[in-house]
Amino acid sequence: MKGSVTTLDVSKFIGAAYKLARKSGLRLTMGDNFEEYVRITSKLPGKSPTDPTFRTDCSDLLPEKAFWVIGRDGEDRVAHVQAMRLYDLSNTRLDEHLRTLRAFFVDPDLNAGPGSSCSCYAPSARSITGLVAYRGDLWLREDFRGRGLLALLSRIAFGLAWTKWSPDFIYALVASWNIEKGIADRNGYLHKEPHGAILRLPAHGIYEDDWLVWVCREDIQEMLSSASNTAIAR
């Protein structure tokens, strides 16, 4: 384990969050079959369609570089989904990765469709490079909201990403209402800037102006190592 974070720290961190999620009625599973994932997410009432980043017809989702987490209630009904994937941006930067649409498609010329574009005006995106993990497609069923689960589910995702990849950054793209309602904060993102991705994908019905939110390696290490001394706050 890199840095000052030990395997035991991460195990305690994930385990504590997982235990609290189970106590709240969520049984979590992890997988890497994204055809199965999209079959599940496409049937969830109230959830927006899974975007191209996590669809096998648009993206190259290798098992060692992408995973999903699904939560089910006591009746085995899906109540939560989220997904993460890793990009090696050692030779580029996040702003360029977004502008070229390679953040969303393995082959933008083939998959993006006519009139597609992405502009990134978040200054810090020019400094996000190296091993960069993206977390997205987050959904929690309405009857599970307001229980403090967002923080727990975020910590589980961060812990799993660290264990698998030890990334330099973890980022997400979120609508402005996530910022206004403090949802990005509850998800553990310590940094945020507007206009991170002004995305236009007419062929996919996507028109967004999202904030860029992120944590860096040092933030993740601090978050994970804190589990050695304190329980995860609800």
Side-chain angles (χ1 to χ4, degrees):
M1 191 64 62
K2 296 183 179 181
S4 59
V5 179
T6 69
T7 301
L8 181 59
D9 290 332
V10 182
S11 298
K12 290 171 64 177
F13 184 85
I14 296 174
Y18 180 82
K19 183 177 180 180
L20 289 173
R22 283 298 299 264
K23 190 175 181 179
S24 295
L26 268 187
R27 177 174 54 85
L28 301 172
T29 56
M30 176 184 175
D32 54 30
N33 183 334
F34 278 86
E35 291 184 356
E36 175 188 2
Y37 178 78
V38 172
R39 283 197 298 270
I40 292 170
T41 60
S42 64
K43 299 175 182 178
L44 298 176
K47 181 192 174 298
S48 58
T50 296
D51 67 35
T53 309
F54 295 114
R55 285 173 32 196
T56 57
D57 59 332
C58 297
S59 294
D60 190 11
L61 296 159
L62 300 175
E64 65 272 18
K65 293 185 177 181
F67 68 87
W68 47 255
V69 175
I70 291 177
R72 291 178 169 84
D73 62 17
E75 298 180 357
D76 205 37
R77 297 178 302 171
V78 176
H80 163 68
V81 299
Q82 62 174 311
M84 293 192 74
R85 63 176 302 176
L86 182 71
Y87 297 101
D88 186 352
L89 304 185
S90 300
N91 297 316
T92 185
R93 311 173 309 191
L94 181 58
D95 61 330
E96 183 68 12
H97 186 58
L98 292 166
R99 283 198 295 265
T100 61
L101 297 175
R102 294 193 180 280
F104 313 100
F105 303 98
V106 64
D107 186 342
D109 292 335
L110 179 64
N111 302 121
S116 296
S117 66
C118 183
S119 300
C120 176
Y121 298 109
S124 295
R126 296 192 292 270
S127 302
I128 295 178
T129 186
L131 291 179
V132 180
Y134 170 68
R135 178 176 178 237
D137 211 43
L138 177 64
W139 176 80
L140 183 63
R141 208 171 67 201
E142 189 172 359
D143 55 316
F144 276 85
R145 298 170 192 171
R147 304 188 191 183
L149 281 166
L150 281 179
L152 300 178
L153 296 168
S154 179
R155 282 155 174 72
I156 289 171
F158 288 177
L160 291 172
W162 182 269
T163 299
K164 290 173 68 67
W165 305 318
S166 187
D168 298 298
F169 296 91
I170 297 175
Y171 82 97
L173 299 170
V174 303
S176 58
W177 61 265
N178 284 273
I179 305 298
E180 295 162 2
K181 294 186 176 182
I183 294 174
D185 293 332
R186 293 198 293 276
N187 269 284
Y189 295 107
L190 302 180
H191 315 283
K192 46 188 176 288
E193 292 175 352
H195 310 306
I198 302 176
L199 183 61
R200 302 289 182 266
L201 301 175
H204 299 270
I206 295 175
Y207 301 88
E208 299 173 352
D209 184 353
D210 289 334
W211 284 62
L212 170 65
V213 297
W214 76 97
V215 287
C216 65
R217 170 181 291 274
E218 291 74 18
D219 299 328
I220 303 167
Q221 288 180 318
E222 177 63 27
M223 187 187 303
L224 294 172
S225 62
S226 67
S228 298
N229 303 310
T230 59
I232 296 176
R234 298 194 64 176

